[in-house]
């Protein structure tokens, strides 16, 4: 009986924190399985050393727990809140600050050169950061589970949560692109917004990241390409794709 007393006396808030921490440790070590098989509540309860009755008062089923876990993963990821991981964001901020003076009243060629510089330096790093991010690996697993055609625990709730998280991420990316556009003296073409640009770029990076898991050498192999008067530069293929999207979605703000 004495062995059970610490569990019985554990506050609900502490129980919640221990359960989520235990699950995060497991997902970090093993990834998230498509059917969430490595996140059985009874197993996590034993591993966390918390009272079963309290757990089921907090989460009536595994779907509710998974939704809370995913939200905790995203909320703890500073890269998600910023729209990019810290190093990519620093590269982008440096490129923005370094480009403003050169492009306030620049010609179209200078605008495109500055845009190429920003994208070439950030896209290659960002695709690696996405692949290594626990948050986005979890996001892709959940998305795959929902589109697999199989029933998954908390399917409707998880779908709604992913929609909410994706909207937040797109809003943050759109804000970064708005600042970049202002710094470079460019604007969205009529009929498109920074959110449209964010959706398109995210699709490119996610798709390239998926292919990178199959053929990393083929994706990461540098391409030496000359896209303007600055001459040939080494590009990651993801950067070339993102630049193509960005150039198609924007125009010189002075036109």
């Amino acid at each position: 009986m004495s062995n059970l007393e610490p569990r019985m006396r554990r506050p609900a808030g502490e129980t919640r924190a221990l359960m989520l921490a235990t699950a995060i440790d497991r997902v970090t070590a093993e990834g998230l399985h498509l059917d969430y098989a490595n996140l059985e509540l009874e197993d996590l309860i034993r591993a966390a050393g918390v009272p079963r009755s309290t757990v089921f008062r907090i989460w009536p089923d595994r779907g509710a727990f998974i939704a809370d876990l995913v939200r905790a993963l995203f909320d703890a990821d500073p890269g998600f809140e910023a729209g990019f991981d810290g190093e990519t964001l620093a590269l982008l901020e440096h490129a923005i600050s370094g480009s403003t003076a050169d492009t306030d009243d620049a010609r179209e060629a200078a605008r495109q050169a500055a845009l190429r510089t920003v994208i070439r330096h950030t896209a290659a790093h960002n695709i690696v950061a996405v692949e290594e991010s626990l948050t986005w690996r979890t996001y892709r697993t959940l998305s795959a589970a929902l589109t697999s055609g199989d029933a998954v625990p908390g399917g409707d709730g998880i779908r709604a949560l992913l929609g909410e998280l994706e909207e937040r991420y797109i809003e943050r990316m759109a804000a970064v692109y708005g600042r970049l556009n202002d710094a470079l003296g460019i604007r969205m073409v009529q009929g498109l917004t920074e959110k449209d640009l964010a959706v398109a770029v995210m699709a490119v990076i996610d798709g390239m990241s998926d292919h990178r898991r199959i053929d990393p050498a083929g994706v990461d192999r540098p391409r030496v390409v000359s896209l303007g008067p600055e001459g040939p530069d080494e590009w990651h293929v993801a950067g070339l794709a993102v630049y193509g999207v960005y150039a198609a979605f924007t125009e010189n703000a002075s036109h």
Side-chain angles (χ1 to χ4, degrees):
M1 179 67 69
S2 60
N3 289 337
L4 297 178
E5 287 179 356
R7 291 190 178 192
M8 297 298 290
R9 293 174 180 173
R10 201 182 293 281
E14 186 179 345
T15 294
R16 184 180 187 279
L18 283 168
M19 281 289 289
L20 290 173
T22 301
I24 288 172
D25 286 345
R26 184 162 298 180
V27 173
T28 301
E30 303 175 3
L32 181 65
H33 296 182
L34 277 176
D35 56 359
Y36 317 151
N38 57 336
L39 293 176
E40 292 290 350
L41 283 182
E42 297 289 356
D43 184 35
L44 292 172
I45 288 168
R46 288 191 294 272
V50 295
R52 184 177 184 277
S53 58
T54 305
V55 168
F56 283 99
R57 282 199 301 270
I58 299 171
W59 299 289
D61 54 47
R62 188 168 56 149
F65 176 76
I66 297 296
D68 249 9
L69 170 62
V70 173
R71 190 182 297 278
L73 284 168
F74 276 80
D75 286 345
D77 183 350
F80 171 73
E81 289 298 321
F84 294 98
D85 73 287
E87 190 172 344
T88 301
L89 193 62
L91 288 169
L92 191 57
E93 292 286 353
H94 178 73
I96 290 173
S97 64
S99 299
T100 303
D102 294 335
T103 60
D104 281 342
D105 53 358
R107 295 169 289 116
E108 178 73 6
R111 177 186 74 83
Q112 288 291 337
L115 181 61
R116 285 191 289 271
T117 297
V118 171
I119 293 174
R120 187 169 62 86
H121 282 90
T122 57
H125 172 78
N126 195 51
I127 194 170
V128 175
V130 166
E131 181 62 26
E132 294 177 352
S133 164
L134 172 63
T135 301
W136 289 109
R137 290 202 309 271
T138 301
Y139 177 87
R140 285 200 300 271
T141 299
L142 290 169
S143 297
L146 289 172
T147 59
S148 67
D150 298 328
V152 295
D156 290 340
I158 293 295
R159 181 177 284 103
L161 175 60
L162 290 184
E164 173 196 329
L165 294 171
E166 185 169 300
E167 179 65 18
R168 285 170 54 193
Y169 182 72
I170 289 170
E171 290 281 359
R172 283 156 179 76
M173 288 181 68
V176 172
Y177 294 145
R179 291 187 56 237
L180 177 59
N181 291 351
D182 289 343
L184 296 179
I186 59 181
R187 67 187 176 201
M188 303 304 300
V189 301
Q190 187 173 0
L192 295 175
T193 68
E194 284 84 0
K195 285 184 68 173
D196 296 323
L197 177 60
V199 170
V201 171
M202 184 173 69
V204 168
I205 295 297
D206 284 353
M208 199 73 69
S209 179
D210 285 342
H211 186 63
R212 185 175 181 269
R213 284 183 289 167
I214 299 170
D215 182 20
V219 172
D220 289 341
R221 175 177 57 82
R223 277 73 170 177
V224 179
V225 182
S226 180
L227 296 180
E230 64 270 27
D233 278 310
E234 282 193 358
W235 282 81
H236 191 286
V237 67
L240 291 168
V242 170
Y243 173 66
V245 169
Y246 217 116
F249 278 48
T250 59
E251 63 184 8
N252 194 326
S254 64
H255 287 173

